[in-house]
Amino acid sequence: MKRTERMATVVGAGLLLVVASACAPSERDSVAAGSGSGGSGTVLTTSPNPPSSSADPSTSDQVVPNGGTAVPGDRVDATALPEGYPVQVWTEGDGTTVGVTGQEGGCGKVRAEVTGQSAAAVAIDLVETVPAGEQLCTMDLRYPPLSVRIDQPLGERTVVLTERTEQK
């Protein structure tokens, strides 16, 4: 019986270690939250027809929702996104709705905000909100489709993507 109790203690301690390490703040969580400027601050929720997910969400092969139109890669500036962040951009309807794929994980929740619009470009900030304190969270990544409304149809303008993390 002692061996069984010892095994249960070891397994329980190992499980506790795995759960505790999943909740430890990461380097990404400590990134200072920036703010965009010059935009309308428009925030919309997820698209009703999400794009299909692929094994590698950062690939340039875009899968867009039914009725969406992919924005060509040469009109998307994703240089400010971290390596591996999904880069999928599309328009819907008359071109005043721009869809993007976000990235969130664990207890985080991502949203898209328009931070600037000009004749040449539309700036969209992908903001992941994470809990301020430590808490138990899953260790998964999700890639929700997000959409924002812009003042005029996208047309030939470039979409500039940035990302930041903020704590709630």
Side-chain angles (χ1 to χ4, degrees), residues 10-116:
V10 169
V11 169
L15 186 58
L16 182 59
L17 180 61
V18 168
V19 170
S21 66
C23 297
S26 68
E27 181 180 322
R28 181 174 180 203
D29 294 339
S30 65
V31 173
S35 62
S37 60
S40 64
T42 303
V43 178
L44 293 181
T45 58
T46 60
S47 174
N49 298 320
S52 303
S53 57
S54 63
D56 180 5
S58 65
T59 62
S60 60
D61 296 333
Q62 293 205 34
V63 179
V64 299
N66 292 338
T69 302
V71 175
D74 63 346
R75 290 199 351 245
V76 176
D77 178 353
T79 56
L81 294 181
E83 185 177 333
Y85 204 101
V87 180
Q88 296 176 321
V89 182
W90 63 91
T91 58
E92 297 176 14
D94 65 356
T96 59
T97 299
V98 178
V100 297
T101 298
Q103 178 177 292
E104 64 188 18
C107 296
K109 186 71 177 165
V110 70
R111 69 181 186 276
E113 296 179 357
V114 176
T115 58

Side-chain angles (χ1 to χ4, degrees), residues 105-129:
C107 296
K109 186 71 177 165
V110 70
R111 69 181 186 276
E113 296 179 357
V114 176
T115 58
Q117 299 182 56
S118 70
V122 172
I124 299 175
D125 196 16
L126 301 165
V127 184
E128 183 178 15
T129 303

